[in-house]
């Protein structure tokens, strides 16, 4: 495989639909179903990976083989058969459409509501766009700006080739291969993902989200993300998209590792809107994600997530507050409707002195869905003056859904100050009546109240996404007024 | 021989002493099989994640103390609430002590489980209530398998019991290690009212393990006021399993005061089987040394318009550990539920640990459910203020702790129990505060 340059990229974009990260010959890239050591080796070979990487994957695979699928989460789903999955396949070429008229009107209506621009709509709906050149130039400008600052931002498979020392040093340090069933699986077979390195003292000049919006095509089934913020640097990173994502892969097991060295700050935002299955609960994506960040001295990691999609979500973005004075934050909105199930929350592990963490979790359940918050706050014996504030609020719509909270609080230091609050409520009749009186119909009133309910979290999102996420909430809850 | 095997093999000996041709015995045998299958709980079980019994299970327990031990009232008077008249059901090493007890059959039954199991006049009550709500889990099954002795309290319709009932289980410590498994059944019929104080006390520092199961049934409009005083010696371990079923309009409150003992595990389960029920669960825990106190509460809201109030305060010193696991389940039909749960903890020492897990599982939408959980310290400024005004640091701290625990203390309805608890707290904190709170 020759080195991939910007010229190739331009060429690529001119000639065909650009699938970020997947661009090798499509026909030959399909493995038989099933998973064994040979498959892992083959994946590694395909990626032209160095020996240490192959070994790393194999080690993960051997651990995974001995593990059992966890069943402690408060979700029910048919267990996937791991031998029935093809572990390496280049993404399917989606049928190319000639104009927006050919796109599913439902999808267009959703775009409209989200306020996505016409050009972007075309790109997202996989319509051949004639402004490709434009987009290339924008992308190139971004790439140049980033390169100037010394920021490395590329698919992780390329990073393994080009910056093996960095990847090797950090990969698996926060989420070890042995961490859990899905993390081990991911480590063995991950197809691709992103690698991001911010050098010392550099403040990333743009939201990496912006870059993503222009470049990202399909995401893989087993994604691996590694973000390293060197001393004193700052980066804001957004993953996912508000636009509905339909995907033929039912199982998604991603791993995200964040490393914030001394005085660095990482802000990681996620908007997840995978296909949740239809109103009867058929189909839909299983989303089993391991996300964890490590904070060194004075560092800060902030997770913000808006979860509206997936049939089953199993996700606990965590912070290990290793360094003194480090800060961890978790802001989350999880919306479930119809038959969706979400078991999500966070872990804050306080190891260093004067560490602080904040957890704000808003769960909204409607239809026949089940929404759980599961979190851990752990203050270790040497974490003097640790401080935690947790707030978990649930909003229930209708009496067929459920809201659950499972907070674990473990304190081993007397100077710890921990507060945990949780409330469960429904939208008040009088609140609705008040809105109705003032000429706001019930559907809008609910949107209004839900937005108020989730405001603390929405405010933490990068600007443009906050607006879209707000609308996304409305759409997700459409028709749940009962 | 491991304790489990020892217990299983002793079942034959147990059967020699009791009537094995009864329905109850089938329940026992089934429970024994269940325990054989499950064994003692390990940390692998989610419910026992933070509490390990390994350290107390390795001792060689005497399972059936063969001789009846007697004790002098003067020696144990201090363990009674003796300044008021009460009914008393007293057991020494698991055997009933008629000498220390004060029971009655006058308009109500305040007597013994063993006689209730034997006599036909109690048959209907036993059939209706015995082992009906106790869970089929490991330690409850173990208790059920050997269920024979304990308190039997039956309060008929519209009877208000004129004085509180004390249930006291003494362990004499004549043996190296003693295992006792009291089994209590309390049935409170419509409009009836009863107050009960329960205590487990070992008289020496020899090892004692008590595995208690109490079933309480509160019918319509019944009121039950229950106090558990846990201030045992350092080598006494207590596993207390209490199951409470409530009918419409009833009110049951359980106060648990955990000050002493080695490992104390309280499994307190409320099942609300009617409307407009009120359940109150309160507790004060003050520990030191290597003590371990674990409160596991469950409130199951099944019908609409019910309430539950939980308030647990914990103060943990030295190397002690505290666990609070509070679970509230609100079923789909249980609309207009008002469930409230509060758990506040103070860590006094660097080596103390607290693990809290307040859970809500809610399936109904028109409910008000909240829980609050805090871990913090005493207010240094308030302490400083008191020191400035001549209150020594130790007393100042004690005062702050009283204030901290007072929301629980003030809801104690028997004044003598309240002042006893106040004294126990003072004793525990090593201060002499000359006023009642």
């Amino acid at each position: 495989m020759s080195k991939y340059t910007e010229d190739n990229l331009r060429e690529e974009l001119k000639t065909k639909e650009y699938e970020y990260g997947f661009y090798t010959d499509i026909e030959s890239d399909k493995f038989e179903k099933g998973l064994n050591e040979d498959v892992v080796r083959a994946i590694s070979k395909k990626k032209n990976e160095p020996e240490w990487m192959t070994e790393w994957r194999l080690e993960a695979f051997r651990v995974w083989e001995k593990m059992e699928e966890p069943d402690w989460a408060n979700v029910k789903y048919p267990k996937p058969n791991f031998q029935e999955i093809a572990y390496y396949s280049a993404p399917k070429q989606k049928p190319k459409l000639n104009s927006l008229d050919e796109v599913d009107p439902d999808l267009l209506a959703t775009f409209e509501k989200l306020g996505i621009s016409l050009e972007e709509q075309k790109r997202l709906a996989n319509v051949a766009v004639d402004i490709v050149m434009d987009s290339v130039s924008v992308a190139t400008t971004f790439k140049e700006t980033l390169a100037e600052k010394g920021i490395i931002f590329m698919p992780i498979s390329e990073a393994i080739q080009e910056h093996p020392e960095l990847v090797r040093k950090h990969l698996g340090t926060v989420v070890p291969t042995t961490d859990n069933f899905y993390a081990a699986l991911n480590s063995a077979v991950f197809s691709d993902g992103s690698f991001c390195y911010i050098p010392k003292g550099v403040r990333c000049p743009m939201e990496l989200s912006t870059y993503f919006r222009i470049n990202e095509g399909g995401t893989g089934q087993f994604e691996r993300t590694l973000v390293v913020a060197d001393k004193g640097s700052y980066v804001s990173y957004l993953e996912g998209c508000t636009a509905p994502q339909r995907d033929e892969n039912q199982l998604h097991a991603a791993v995200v590792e964040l490393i914030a060295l001394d005085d660095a700050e990482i802000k990681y935002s996620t908007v997840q809107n995978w296909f949740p299955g239809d109103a009867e609960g058929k189909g839909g994506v299983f989303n089993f994600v391991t996300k964890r960040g490590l904070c060194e001295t004075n560092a800060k990691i902030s997770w913000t997530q808006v979860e509206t999609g997936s049939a089953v979500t199993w996700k606990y973005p965590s912070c290990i507050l290793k360094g003194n004075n480090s800060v961890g934050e978790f802001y989350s909105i999880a919306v479930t409707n119809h038959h969706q199930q979400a078991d999500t929350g966070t872990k804050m592990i306080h190891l260093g002195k004067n560490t602080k963490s904040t957890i704000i979790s808003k769960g909204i359940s409607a239809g026949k869905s089940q929404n759980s918050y599961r979190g851990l706050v752990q203050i270790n014996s040497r974490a003097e003056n640790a401080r935690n504030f947790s707030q978990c609020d649930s909003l229930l719509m209708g009496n067929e859904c459920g809201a659950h909270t499972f907070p674990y609080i473990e304190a081993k230091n007397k100077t710890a100050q921990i507060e945990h609050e949780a409330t469960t409520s429904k939208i008040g009749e009088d609140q609705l009546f008040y809105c109705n009186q003032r000429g706001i119909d019930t559907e809008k009133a609910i949107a209004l109240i839900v937005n108020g309910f989730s405001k603390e979290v929405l405010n933490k999102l990068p600007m443009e996404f906050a607006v879209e996420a707000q609308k996304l909430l409305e759409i997700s809850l459409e028709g749940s007024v009962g | 021989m491991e304790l489990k095997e020892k217990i299983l093999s002793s079942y034959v000996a147990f059967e020699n002493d009791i009537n094995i041709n009864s329905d109850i015995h089938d329940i026992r045998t089934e429970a024994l099989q269940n325990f054989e299958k499950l064994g003692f709980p390990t940390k692998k079980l989610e419910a026992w994640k933070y509490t390990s019994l390994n350290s107390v299970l390795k001792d060689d327990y005497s399972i059936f103390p063969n001789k009846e031990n007697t004790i002098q009232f003067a020696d144990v008077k201090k363990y009674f609430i003796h300044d008021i008249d009460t009914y008393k059901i007293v057991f020494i090493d698991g055997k009933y002590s008629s000498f220390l007890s004060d029971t009655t059959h006058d308009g109500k039954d305040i007597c013994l489980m063993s006689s209730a199991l034997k006599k036909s006049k109690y048959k209907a009550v036993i059939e209706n209530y015995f082992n009906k709500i106790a869970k089929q889990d490991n330690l409850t099954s173990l208790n059920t398998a050997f269920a024979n002795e304990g308190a039997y309290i039956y309060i008929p319709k519209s009877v208000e019991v004129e004085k509180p009932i004390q249930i006291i289980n003494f362990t004499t410590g004549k043996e190296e290690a003693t295992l006792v498994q009291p089994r209590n059944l309390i049935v409170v019929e419509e409009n009836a009212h009863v107050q009960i104080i329960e205590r487990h006390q070992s008289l020496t520092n020899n090892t004692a393990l008590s595995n208690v199961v109490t079933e309480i049934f509160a019918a319509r409009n019944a009121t039950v006021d229950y106090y558990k005083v846990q201030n045992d010696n350092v080598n006494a371990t207590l596993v207390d399993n209490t199951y409470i079923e409530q009918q419409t309009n009833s009110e049951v409150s359980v106060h648990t005061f955990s000050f002493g003992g080695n490992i104390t595990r309280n499994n307190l389960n409320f099942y609300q089987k009617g409307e407009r029920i009120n359940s109150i669960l309160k507790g004060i825990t003050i520990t030191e040394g290597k003590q371990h106190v674990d409160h596991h509460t469950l409130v199951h809201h099944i019908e609409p318009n019910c309430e539950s109030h939980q308030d647990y305060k914990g103060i943990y010193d030295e190397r002690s550990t505290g666990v609070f696991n509070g679970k509230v389940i609100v079923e789909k039909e249980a609309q207009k539920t008002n469930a409230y749960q509060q758990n506040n903890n103070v860590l006094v020492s660097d080596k103390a640990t607290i693990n809290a897990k307040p859970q809500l599982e809610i399936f109904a939408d028109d409910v008000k459910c909240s829980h609050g959980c805090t871990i913090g310290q005493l207010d240094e400024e308030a302490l400083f203020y008191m020191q400035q005004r001549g209150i020594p640091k130790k007393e100042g701290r004690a005062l702050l702790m009283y204030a901290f625990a007072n929301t629980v203390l003030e809801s104690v309805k028997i004044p003598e129990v309240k002042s006893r608890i106040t004294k126990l707290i003072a004793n525990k904190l090593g201060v002499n505060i000359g006023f009642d709170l």
Side-chain angles (χ1 to χ4, degrees):
Chain A
M1 197 171 78
S2 67
K3 213 169 149 187
Y4 190 72
T5 64
E6 275 177 38
D7 291 334
N8 296 51
L9 173 84
R10 194 171 291 127
E11 204 54 42
E12 194 101 19
L13 285 168
K14 254 188 229 165
T15 50
K16 68 171 178 108
E17 219 256 333
Y18 175 54
E19 293 282 359
Y20 193 63
F22 301 99
Y23 54 88
T24 38
D25 332 10
I26 282 162
E27 286 72 27
S28 60
D29 277 356
K30 183 100 185 174
F31 282 14
E32 287 298 308
K33 282 176 182 172
L35 182 58
N36 51 45
E37 285 205 13
D38 292 338
V39 172
V40 176
R41 262 183 238 278
I43 291 171
S44 191
K45 189 152 180 260
K46 201 99 218 161
K47 296 266 166 199
N48 203 11
E49 282 171 355
E51 173 115 16
W52 62 267
M53 196 61 221
T54 317
E55 275 310 309
W56 193 81
R57 282 177 184 271
L58 284 172
E59 201 181 297
F61 174 75
R62 284 168 201 144
V63 173
W64 176 78
E65 268 191 317
K66 293 196 193 82
M67 283 177 155
E68 271 176 37
E69 206 179 343
D71 55 5
W72 43 262
N74 193 20
V75 291
K76 291 187 189 72
Y77 57 91
K79 295 252 181 301
N81 183 347
F82 294 94
Q83 297 303 336
E84 276 299 300
I85 297 170
Y87 284 85
Y88 186 86
S89 66
K92 258 190 201 155
Q93 274 288 41
K94 296 174 191 164
K96 200 150 266 185
L97 307 171
N98 291 321
S99 80
L100 273 178
D101 300 339
E102 294 170 36
V103 177
D104 180 4
D106 280 354
L107 195 62
L108 282 184
T110 314
F111 283 157
E112 194 64 44
K113 283 180 197 153
L114 286 170
I116 293 172
S117 75
L118 203 62
E119 291 314 328
E120 213 174 328
Q121 282 187 31
K122 286 186 185 167
R123 206 179 56 77
L124 289 167
N126 206 26
V127 174
V129 254
D130 47 11
I131 48 135
V132 164
M133 285 314 290
D134 245 18
S135 146
V136 167
S137 64
V138 176
T140 318
T141 334
F142 278 156
K143 206 149 195 179
E144 274 167 11
T145 327
L146 292 181
E148 236 167 65
K149 301 263 184 185
I151 295 170
I152 302 168
F153 185 47
M154 54 172 61
I156 199 157
S157 53
E158 278 179 42
I160 291 169
Q161 309 294 335
E162 291 180 32
H163 304 282
E165 70 299 335
L166 272 178
V167 178
R168 195 173 181 178
K169 186 174 166 197
H170 295 291
L171 191 70
T173 53
V174 187
V175 181
T177 49
T178 52
D179 192 77
N180 67 59
F181 185 83
Y182 293 108
L185 177 64
N186 175 289
S187 303
V189 301
F190 74 84
S191 39
D192 215 332
S194 312
F195 173 76
C196 176
Y197 173 79
I198 318 292
K200 271 181 201 161
V202 169
R203 195 180 162 87
C204 185
M206 67 190 77
E207 304 263 353
L208 283 182
S209 51
T210 324
Y211 183 92
F212 246 94
R213 281 293 281 268
I214 289 173
N215 268 292
E216 197 189 28
T219 35
Q221 187 175 11
F222 299 101
E223 244 189 311
R224 184 98 195 180
T225 307
L226 175 61
V227 179
V228 183
D230 211 327
K231 288 176 185 168
S233 64
Y234 167 86
V235 62
S236 165
Y237 189 102
L238 188 127
E239 154 198 84
C241 190
T242 49
Q245 304 222 7
R246 299 195 179 231
D247 194 300
E248 75 276 16
N249 294 323
Q250 232 210 339
L251 175 72
H252 280 252
V255 172
V256 176
E257 292 177 278
L258 307 185
I259 297 166
L261 298 177
D262 296 359
D263 305 306
E265 180 178 347
I266 301 176
K267 191 176 153 82
Y268 194 101
S269 317
T270 312
V271 177
Q272 186 260 111
N273 191 14
W274 295 106
F275 181 51
D278 60 16
E280 268 73 57
K282 288 211 186 83
V285 169
F286 296 166
N287 194 19
F288 303 122
V289 188
T290 310
K291 292 183 166 183
R292 199 172 300 153
L294 179 75
C295 288
E296 296 285 354
T297 309
N298 293 330
K300 176 176 174 182
I301 288 180
S302 168
W303 297 100
T304 310
Q305 59 170 22
V306 179
E307 299 276 331
T308 60
S310 296
V312 179
T313 307
W314 184 97
K315 180 178 178 183
Y316 315 93
S318 314
C319 294
I320 301 170
L321 303 170
K322 184 179 162 207
N324 294 345
N325 310 320
S326 56
V327 179
E329 289 176 350
F330 175 76
Y331 300 97
S332 160
I333 304 174
V335 184
T336 53
N337 200 351
H338 303 304
H339 287 263
Q340 279 177 272
Q341 306 174 65
D343 193 305
T344 178
T346 183
K347 286 185 188 179
M348 293 291 173
I349 317 283
H350 292 255
L351 300 172
K353 293 189 174 101
N354 305 318
T355 46
K356 268 194 234 163
S357 63
T358 308
I359 300 170
I360 310 275
S361 165
K362 307 277 183 182
I364 302 166
S365 16
K368 293 183 177 164
S369 65
Q370 300 295 333
N371 200 332
S372 308
Y373 167 82
R374 185 186 303 274
L376 168 71
V377 175
Q378 192 180 61
I379 314 284
N380 281 283
S381 54
R382 264 174 282 170
E384 298 285 323
N385 297 319
R387 183 81 179 87
N388 162 267
F389 175 78
S390 315
Q391 188 184 339
C392 314
D393 297 328
S394 313
L395 194 64
L396 288 159
M397 295 179 169
N399 59 359
E400 285 180 290
C401 52
H404 316 278
T405 46
F406 305 92
Y408 291 70
I409 302 162
E410 304 178 7
K412 291 197 170 69
N413 188 298
K414 67 164 180 174
T415 55
Q417 282 213 37
I418 304 173
E419 289 169 67
H420 177 98
E421 286 169 29
T423 62
T424 304
S425 53
K426 67 164 192 166
I427 293 178
E429 297 287 327
D430 42 351
Q431 286 172 314
L432 280 181
F433 182 64
Y434 181 91
C435 291
N436 288 159
Q437 267 186 319
R438 275 145 191 85
I440 301 165
D441 64 46
T442 309
E443 190 109 349
K444 269 266 169 277
I446 286 185
L448 210 64
I449 294 162
V450 167
N451 270 322
F453 175 77
S454 17
K455 205 172 160 192
E456 283 164 279
V457 177
L458 288 174
N459 283 347
K460 298 288 168 185
L461 282 174
M463 238 288 280
E464 66 261 47
F465 286 101
V467 180
E468 285 179 18
Q470 209 166 344
K471 290 182 183 141
L472 183 61
L473 288 185
E474 287 175 31
I475 296 169
S476 306
L477 290 171
E478 234 167 43
S480 59
V481 190
Chain B
M1 186 157 53
E2 259 191 57
L3 185 56
K4 184 181 166 188
E5 270 76 62
K6 189 170 173 180
I7 288 172
L8 292 175
S9 58
S10 71
Y11 193 65
V12 185
F14 172 70
E15 280 180 321
N16 286 336
D17 283 354
I18 52 163
N19 172 19
I20 54 168
N21 297 316
S22 67
D23 297 344
I24 298 303
H25 200 67
D26 296 341
I27 297 176
R28 287 194 192 112
T29 311
E30 199 183 314
L32 188 83
Q33 284 160 359
N34 199 28
F35 172 72
E36 187 172 4
K37 197 172 75 205
L38 298 170
F40 282 103
T42 64
K43 284 188 120 175
K44 281 187 186 149
L45 296 172
E46 181 68 19
W48 291 83
K49 183 176 157 76
Y50 295 117
T51 302
S52 168
L53 289 178
N54 288 348
S55 61
V56 298
L57 294 179
K58 62 183 191 325
D59 284 298
D60 187 22
Y61 287 93
S62 107
I63 298 174
F64 303 110
N66 8 10
K67 56 174 187 282
E68 291 199 16
N69 289 308
T70 51
I71 39 182
Q72 293 304 310
F73 181 65
D75 297 337
V76 294
K77 189 184 168 197
K78 60 179 176 182
Y79 300 120
F80 289 87
I81 306 284
H82 50 75
D83 27 19
I84 44 166
D85 192 19
T86 56
Y87 291 111
K88 299 177 196 73
I89 313 175
V90 181
F91 303 94
I92 300 169
D93 292 336
K95 294 260 192 283
Y96 174 62
S97 162
S98 58
F99 171 64
L100 291 173
S101 300
D102 179 4
T103 57
T104 186
H105 291 289
D106 180 17
K108 52 196 168 277
D109 295 304
I110 298 171
C111 59
L112 303 182
M113 184 64 111
S114 56
S115 62
L117 288 176
K118 266 182 232 144
K119 291 180 192 160
S120 57
K121 89 178 212 205
Y122 303 108
K123 199 165 182 247
V125 176
I126 295 286
E127 263 176 16
N128 276 337
Y129 296 105
F130 181 80
N131 207 43
K132 285 292 179 288
I133 46 171
K135 256 189 235 166
Q136 308 297 312
D137 70 0
N138 31 37
L139 291 176
T140 303
S141 293
L142 174 59
N143 179 290
T144 307
F146 292 90
N148 189 41
E149 194 57 290
Y152 171 88
I153 297 173
Y154 179 82
I155 314 296
K157 212 168 159 179
S158 304
V159 171
E160 181 159 346
V161 183
E162 70 283 8
K163 53 188 182 185
I165 302 167
Q166 296 196 63
I167 305 171
I168 304 192
N169 294 277
F170 288 111
T171 313
T172 55
K174 297 257 163 66
E175 313 269 348
E176 267 312 276
T178 318
L179 169 70
V180 288
Q181 302 205 68
R183 174 73 174 215
N184 306 320
L185 177 64
I186 297 160
V187 180
V188 185
E189 292 288 11
E190 276 179 43
N191 298 317
H193 178 142
V194 64
Q195 290 182 314
I196 298 166
I197 303 152
E198 180 191 336
R199 184 161 184 164
H200 300 269
Q201 189 65 46
S202 55
L203 301 172
T204 64
N205 274 342
N206 280 344
T207 308
L209 172 61
S210 308
N211 177 31
V212 193
V213 172
T214 306
E215 290 179 283
I216 301 174
F217 295 84
R220 289 175 79 94
N221 301 319
T223 313
V224 180
D225 211 2
Y226 207 104
Y227 301 93
K228 290 175 185 286
V229 182
Q230 301 170 344
N231 190 29
D232 216 338
N233 283 329
V234 283
N235 288 322
T237 293
L238 171 68
V239 179
D240 182 281
N241 306 284
T242 303
Y243 302 91
I244 298 160
E245 184 181 291
Q246 287 184 259
Q247 301 294 339
T248 300
N249 263 332
S250 62
E251 180 176 317
V252 176
S253 77
V254 176
H255 286 71
T256 310
F257 302 103
S258 313
F259 304 135
N262 172 20
I263 296 171
T264 306
R265 161 77 175 221
N266 287 300
N267 295 319
L268 184 54
N269 305 281
F270 277 81
Y271 306 97
Q272 297 188 333
K273 299 257 174 86
E275 294 196 32
R276 297 179 300 283
I277 290 169
N278 193 5
S279 305
I280 298 161
L281 303 79
K282 296 200 176 195
I284 301 176
T285 307
I286 305 179
T287 59
E288 61 190 3
K290 282 186 177 171
Q291 281 183 270
H292 180 102
V293 176
D294 181 348
H295 289 289
H296 244 71
T297 69
L298 166 74
V299 180
H300 198 155
H301 291 273
I302 303 165
E303 303 273 338
N305 300 313
C306 292
E307 285 182 35
S308 66
H309 298 270
Q310 298 190 51
D311 189 0
Y312 280 85
K313 309 285 184 201
I315 299 169
Y316 302 92
D317 200 352
E318 295 175 9
R319 307 183 74 92
S320 64
T321 15
V323 181
F324 176 76
N325 187 328
K327 190 173 189 174
V328 175
I329 304 176
V330 181
E331 292 291 342
K332 200 154 79 178
E333 291 74 27
Q335 297 290 5
K336 309 272 181 204
T337 292
N338 188 353
Y340 175 80
Q341 188 187 70
Q342 179 83 27
N343 172 232
N344 306 103
N345 302 289
V346 173
L347 290 181
V348 184
S349 115
D350 278 337
K351 299 276 192 281
T353 304
I354 167 81
N355 298 309
K357 194 181 160 205
Q359 301 175 49
L360 295 176
E361 290 199 36
I362 295 165
F363 297 92
D365 63 335
D366 191 5
V367 297
K368 265 200 267 180
C369 294
S370 58
H371 68 210
C373 180
T374 62
I375 297 170
Q377 293 76 50
L378 298 175
D379 186 349
E380 289 299 321
E381 277 182 36
L383 196 59
F384 181 62
Y385 179 90
M386 283 191 276
Q387 282 181 276
Q388 272 184 316
R389 275 143 192 86
I391 300 171
K393 196 168 181 179
K394 202 170 166 190
E395 274 72 19
R397 291 180 80 92
L399 275 177
L400 285 174
M401 288 184 197
Y402 269 111
F404 171 73
N406 199 39
T407 51
V408 174
L409 209 51
E410 69 185 7
S411 66
V412 173
K413 291 201 189 91
I414 308 172
E416 288 75 16
V417 171
K418 195 193 263 183
S419 65
R420 172 61 65 91
I421 298 299
T422 312
K423 277 181 200 140
L424 285 177
I425 295 177
N427 200 17
K428 186 82 185 177
L429 300 175
V431 293
N432 185 12
I433 295 177
F435 60 88
D436 280 338
L437 285 156

